[in-house]
């Protein structure tokens, strides 16, 4: 299982430097390969001119499956979508209701089309509740393989999902400015030590606080800087002049 901090920081910075639908496609493809997934789909029905039947989308599904899915209007019966849209937490497909012949046929056809029979649906909310999206990751792993890594995968992909939504929002809604003034002195100090390669435990000793509090400072800074992980947060803080 690859950890998100292992994602090549140059890939993320390149996306920010040249943000287009094509580079977002490339980033999603990179994440799929990095985590050994079958497919990834980002679906946002809430951008201007879009709907549940015609969402703004970046997907690695085959064109044939996408056309088949739309032609049969599976959006209305697909529990990965209907349950995910109502949830605030990631949804493991293993817990989705599959009663009914149409739903069973949908999952059977999806498996035959190479979609992957394991999956996670991650709901994402934007700056306002009116801007929402779904981030879907699928796998063809066996039940024991999937069970062994789904929680770690879920933890990482929640960050990826929000990052992708932020970038898509910049492209098709409005730019999200980063307010550097909201990053606190303690968060900056934690970022500085992190930039030096210090562990959470090292920083806790240096700042005379608990490791859990250090983690909170770093996670808060990451969120405020709209960064995908701590390495990315450090990089953005350096570029913004917050730390040396």
């Amino acid at each position: 299982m690859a950890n998100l901090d292992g994602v090549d920081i140059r890939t993320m910075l390149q996306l920010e430097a040249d943000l287009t639908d094509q580079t977002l496609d490339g980033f999603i493809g990179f994440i799929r390969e990095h985590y050994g997934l079958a497919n990834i789909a980002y679906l946002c029905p809430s951008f201007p001119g879009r709907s549940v039947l015609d969402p703004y989308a970046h997907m690695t599904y085959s064109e044939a499956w996408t056309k088949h899915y739309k032609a049969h209007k599976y959006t209305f019966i697909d529990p990965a979508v209907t349950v995910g849209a109502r949830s605030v937490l990631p949804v493991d497909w293993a817990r989705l209701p599959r009663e009914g012949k149409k739903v069973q046929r949908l999952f059977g056809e999806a498996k035959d089309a190479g979609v992957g029979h394991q999956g996670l649906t991650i709901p994402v909310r934007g700056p306002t509740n009116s801007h929402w999206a779904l981030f879907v990751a699928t796998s063809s792993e066996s039940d024991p393989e999937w069970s062994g890594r789904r929680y770690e995968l879920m933890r990482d992909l929640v960050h990826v999902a929000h990052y992708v939504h932020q970038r898509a929002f910049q492209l098709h809604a409005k730019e999200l400015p980063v307010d550097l003034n909201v990053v606190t002195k303690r968060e900056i100090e934690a970022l500085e030590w992190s930039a030096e390669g210090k562990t959470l435990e090292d920083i806790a000793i240096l700042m005379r606080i608990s490791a859990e509090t250090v983690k909170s400072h770093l996670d808060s800074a990451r969120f405020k800087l709209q960064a995908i992980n701590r390495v990315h947060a450090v990089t953005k803080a350096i570029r913004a002049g917050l730390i040396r």
Side-chain angles (χ1 to χ4, degrees):
M1 173 65 194
N3 185 277
L4 189 59
D5 283 337
V7 173
D8 188 349
I9 191 66
R10 289 175 297 180
T11 302
M12 294 183 291
L13 294 180
Q14 179 59 38
L15 173 59
E16 292 188 348
D18 184 25
L19 181 58
T20 64
D21 284 333
Q22 288 69 38
T23 53
L24 197 54
D25 269 334
F27 180 74
I28 286 175
F30 174 81
I31 291 297
R32 180 181 69 164
E33 293 182 11
H34 185 74
Y35 286 97
L37 296 164
N39 284 286
I40 287 179
Y42 167 78
L43 309 167
C44 184
S46 58
F47 287 156
R50 296 295 183 170
S51 67
V52 172
L53 283 178
D54 183 31
Y56 170 76
H58 287 273
M59 301 180 290
T60 61
Y61 299 140
S62 69
E63 185 176 350
W65 170 249
T66 301
K67 288 182 177 179
H68 179 77
Y69 188 96
K70 288 183 177 180
H72 287 76
K73 298 183 178 179
Y74 278 151
T75 300
F76 294 120
I77 66 166
D78 186 353
V81 174
T82 58
V83 174
R86 297 193 305 268
S87 179
V88 294
L89 297 174
V91 178
D92 188 339
W93 287 12
R95 300 180 179 179
L96 291 174
R98 303 197 183 201
E99 297 83 7
K101 291 183 179 180
K102 289 184 178 180
V103 174
Q104 292 172 5
R105 184 180 70 184
L106 163 62
F107 278 100
E109 291 174 351
K111 184 177 180 180
D112 292 341
V115 170
H117 60 284
Q118 313 283 6
L120 290 171
T121 297
I122 301 172
V124 188
R125 304 293 171 184
T128 66
N129 286 331
S130 62
H131 287 103
W132 64 279
L134 296 177
F135 187 90
V136 178
T138 71
S139 171
S140 299
E141 294 168 271
S142 66
D143 289 346
E145 290 173 329
W146 179 250
S147 179
R149 76 162 183 151
R150 63 182 171 183
Y151 291 112
E152 187 177 355
L153 183 66
M154 186 186 301
R155 179 201 65 193
D156 286 3
L157 291 185
V158 164
H159 296 311
V160 174
H162 282 83
Y163 180 76
V164 169
H165 189 54
Q166 287 171 357
R167 297 296 162 254
F169 191 88
Q170 285 182 324
L171 280 171
H172 295 279
K174 63 179 180 180
E175 187 175 356
L176 290 173
V178 175
D179 185 358
L180 301 179
N181 294 320
V182 300
V183 185
T184 68
K185 291 182 179 180
R186 294 295 269 175
E187 290 166 356
I188 292 172
E189 184 180 355
L191 285 170
E192 286 176 333
W193 287 121
S194 186
E196 293 289 334
K198 303 296 185 183
T199 65
L200 290 179
E201 291 73 18
D202 293 336
I203 300 172
I205 293 171
L206 291 163
M207 294 181 66
R208 298 181 180 180
I209 55 178
S210 69
E212 190 61 32
T213 303
V214 172
K215 181 178 181 300
S216 262
H217 284 323
L218 290 173
D219 286 345
S220 177
R222 177 186 58 75
F223 177 80
K224 292 173 181 177
L225 292 170
Q226 300 173 19
I228 192 171
N229 58 19
R230 291 175 194 165
V231 174
H232 191 202
V234 167
T235 304
K236 295 190 79 169
I238 291 172
R239 289 176 58 183
L242 285 176
I243 64 176
R244 296 180 182 179

